[in-house]
Amino acid sequence: VEAALGKPLLDEDQVPTFYFPIKEVNGKLTRVGVASFVTQRGPHGDLMLAVAVNTKAAVTKALILKHQEAKGLAGEAFLKQFIGKTYQDAFTVGQDVTPLPGEEEASQAVATGIRKYLLITRAAFAKK
């Protein structure tokens, strides 16, 4: 994960806690994905993100729970662009991420945090 990100993981990322949403399918409870929290450094402080993925490891929901950046960064209009992305996407502002106007650095921090979560999840659950 650190090699793919090009930087060390934060202490809080070293031992993640995963949550497994379940859904009743044909009378049987089935895992439909995995969710967790991830912390990412932003230009004005830490961002606390919640990210959920489906069983294909594609983002189904991304939320910013805590931040000190511009208000629109936590808005659905910005965050919906991450739905469907996987660890294989670039997560790069100007390439496959449209930044919040004037908030390119903070937008990249969000993208990096979501990608970090995807890489951690892949490392934890990918079949060897």
Side-chain angles (χ1 to χ4, degrees), residues 84-102:
K85 289 190 181 300
T86 70
Y87 77 94
Q88 295 171 318
D89 288 295
F91 286 89
T92 302
V93 164
Q95 185 173 339
D96 66 339
V97 174
T98 302
L100 190 65

Side-chain angles (χ1 to χ4, degrees), residues 19-23 25 29-35 52-61 85-87 117-118 121-122 125-127:
Y19 301 89
F20 298 96
I22 56 172
K23 178 179 177 181
V25 177
L29 294 178
T30 306
R31 284 186 188 171
V32 294
V34 62
V53 298
N54 60 22
T55 57
K56 304 283 186 199
V59 175
T60 58
K61 187 75 172 177
K85 289 190 181 300
T86 70
Y87 77 94
Y117 165 76
L118 291 170
T121 302
R122 177 170 159 61
F125 297 106
K127 293 180 181 175

Side-chain angles (χ1 to χ4, degrees), residues 2 8-16 39 41 46 116 120:
E2 291 176 336
L9 290 174
L10 301 174
D11 288 343
E12 49 267 71
D13 297 325
Q14 295 287 335
V15 183
T39 301
R41 303 267 189 254
D46 287 349
K116 176 171 59 172
I120 290 170

Side-chain angles (χ1 to χ4, degrees), residues 25-80:
V25 177
N26 299 325
K28 183 178 177 183
L29 294 178
T30 306
R31 284 186 188 171
V32 294
V34 62
S36 192
F37 301 100
V38 65
T39 301
Q40 181 63 37
R41 303 267 189 254
H44 297 105
D46 287 349
L47 299 155
M48 173 61 78
L49 305 163
V51 184
V53 298
N54 60 22
T55 57
K56 304 283 186 199
V59 175
T60 58
K61 187 75 172 177
L63 298 171
I64 300 175
L65 305 174
K66 180 181 171 188
H67 70 93
Q68 298 174 12
E69 309 298 336
K71 199 172 196 173
L73 199 67
E76 184 180 347
F78 173 70
L79 293 173
K80 70 181 178 183

